[in-house]
Amino acid sequence: MKFQVTHKTIYQYGGIVNLCYNEAKMIPRNLPNQNCLKYELSVEPNPMDFDERIDFFGNRTAYFSIQEPHKELKVVTKSEVEIIPNLPVNLSESPNCQEVRKILVSSKEDAVIDAKQYVFASPLIHPFQEIQEYAAVSFWDERPVLEAAFELTQRIFKDFKFVPGFTSVTTPLHEVARHKKGVCQDYAQFAIACVRSMGLAARYVSGYIETIPPEGEEKLEGADASHAWLSVFSPGFGWLDFDPTNNQIPKEQHVTVAYGRDYLDITPFKGVIYSSGKHKMNVEVDMKRI
């Protein structure tokens, strides 16, 4: 399946901005089941400096600066992405949690060494006792790790309530755990904390998900959204994605843009401005099947 994805971010400033430095992670990754066939990133006003690099986690990252006075910044990414459905995975055939922990400690394989960095706490994800108790219901030593991860996904979907605006990117994880409310970022980071509290590897994934309009209605422009989910590592199986917000294992409707330890590693757009006054931000995402 192929998608055309448009991600538009507009900043409107209360005062004149004379200088800004920016970083954007809005370009879909190339993965075994995903090909970014082409993309275009446009910036208004035109940047004086522009560079694209691959960051530590392998994410495509654009850096640019604007060194002229402006009151609005517009960044648009247009991508064409092909999704190849993964073959079904028998979750019960994955190694058990105890085996995976031992492999993560002792193995010298490149894939395992890379996965180790996703076992530990990160700036936004600090597992604590309540998290560990919640995770222990699904994860025990003899249970297949991917089977446990899927049950965790189902439990979070059932126990949490999706409430836009209840949290922000700075809301501590213990607040999310206490209220069990939030958005996809909160669902993903809570799930990652659960997996890591069991001594296992999980990473944060950002991207897009296609929304399907009600039968008989047309899909609205900009109605799709940036999305977040998690991926869990299992030796012999690699990384498998889980989406607790939608209670599913992603297949053809998820487009992966970036992954890291938590949201701070994959923030779609961030920067520094030299100005005074407030600003407003508007984000629109649109996914169309080709």
Side-chain angles (χ1 to χ4, degrees):
M1 186 177 293
K2 292 182 181 179
F3 292 101
Q4 182 183 73
V5 183
T6 302
H7 186 157
K8 182 188 300 182
T9 303
I10 299 175
Y11 280 93
Q12 294 176 320
Y13 303 109
I16 297 294
V17 173
N18 294 299
L19 176 65
C20 68
Y21 297 95
N22 306 280
E23 176 186 287
K25 290 183 171 72
M26 301 161 67
I27 305 166
R29 292 182 66 117
N30 284 315
L31 301 168
N33 70 320
Q34 174 178 294
N35 297 315
C36 183
L37 304 175
K38 58 184 178 181
Y39 70 90
E40 173 188 336
L41 194 154
S42 61
V43 181
E44 298 177 14
N46 289 327
M48 177 171 285
D49 299 306
F50 186 93
D51 186 30
E52 286 186 18
R53 286 176 276 172
I54 302 297
D55 73 5
F56 176 81
F57 300 101
N59 304 312
R60 291 174 164 184
T61 308
Y63 303 89
F64 59 90
S65 67
I66 298 172
Q67 302 182 30
E68 64 178 76
H70 58 284
K71 289 199 69 173
E72 182 177 276
L73 173 61
K74 182 178 180 180
V75 182
V76 180
T77 303
K78 293 183 178 179
S79 308
E80 189 173 305
V81 185
E82 179 182 29
I83 304 296
I84 305 161
N86 286 315
L87 294 174
V89 175
N90 189 335
L91 305 181
S92 63
E93 291 183 355
S94 60
N96 68 44
C97 297
Q98 186 174 37
E99 290 178 61
V100 176
R101 276 193 289 269
K102 289 180 180 178
I103 291 170
L104 285 168
V105 169
S106 61
S107 176
K108 305 300 182 185
E109 292 184 13
D110 289 346
V112 178
I113 291 173
D114 177 71
K116 288 181 181 181
Q117 65 187 313
Y118 300 105
V119 176
F120 306 105
S122 56
L124 294 181
I125 301 177
H126 297 271
F128 45 90
Q129 185 175 350
E130 185 181 347
I131 292 277
Q132 194 171 36
E133 290 172 355
Y134 189 93
V137 175
S138 296
F139 293 85
W140 58 85
D141 287 352
E142 296 78 21
R143 190 172 197 187
V145 65
L146 296 181
E147 185 180 277
F150 189 45
E151 183 186 274
L152 175 71
T153 296
Q154 295 171 309
R155 289 174 54 219
I156 293 173
F157 175 78
K158 179 181 177 182
D159 294 342
F160 278 60
K161 188 174 182 181
F162 192 86
V163 183
F166 184 79
T167 58
S168 70
V169 295
T170 60
T171 301
L173 189 59
H174 70 266
E175 288 292 320
V176 175
R178 182 158 65 95
H179 296 286
K180 291 186 171 54
K181 294 179 183 179
V183 292
C184 57
Q185 172 193 310
D186 305 303
Y187 281 59
Q189 294 195 146
F190 180 86
I192 291 168
C194 287
V195 177
R196 291 180 185 171
S197 75
M198 297 287 102
L200 303 167
R203 65 191 182 193
Y204 186 101
V205 186
S206 73
Y208 310 112
I209 183 171
E210 181 192 28
T211 58
I212 307 297
E215 187 174 350
E217 296 184 17
E218 293 186 7
K219 185 168 77 69
L220 300 175
E221 295 288 335
D224 298 298
S226 294
H227 193 43
W229 56 98
L230 74 150
S231 194
V232 177
F233 179 75
S234 172
F237 286 73
W239 292 94
L240 185 64
D241 290 0
F242 297 90
D243 182 353
T245 308
N246 294 291
N247 192 26
Q248 61 179 264
I249 296 175
K251 294 178 182 176
E252 293 182 86
Q253 291 175 262
H254 290 66
V255 171
T256 299
V257 172
Y259 51 68
R261 296 166 302 166
D262 57 37
Y263 176 80
L264 291 181
D265 289 333
I266 57 77
T267 306
F269 189 75
K270 61 184 178 182
V272 177
I273 65 172
Y274 289 83
S275 179
S276 60
K278 299 180 179 180
H279 68 268
K280 293 190 298 183
M281 180 183 71
N282 182 54
V283 178
E284 295 181 7
V285 175
D286 190 58
M287 283 181 66
K288 294 180 180 179
R289 294 191 183 192
I290 302 175

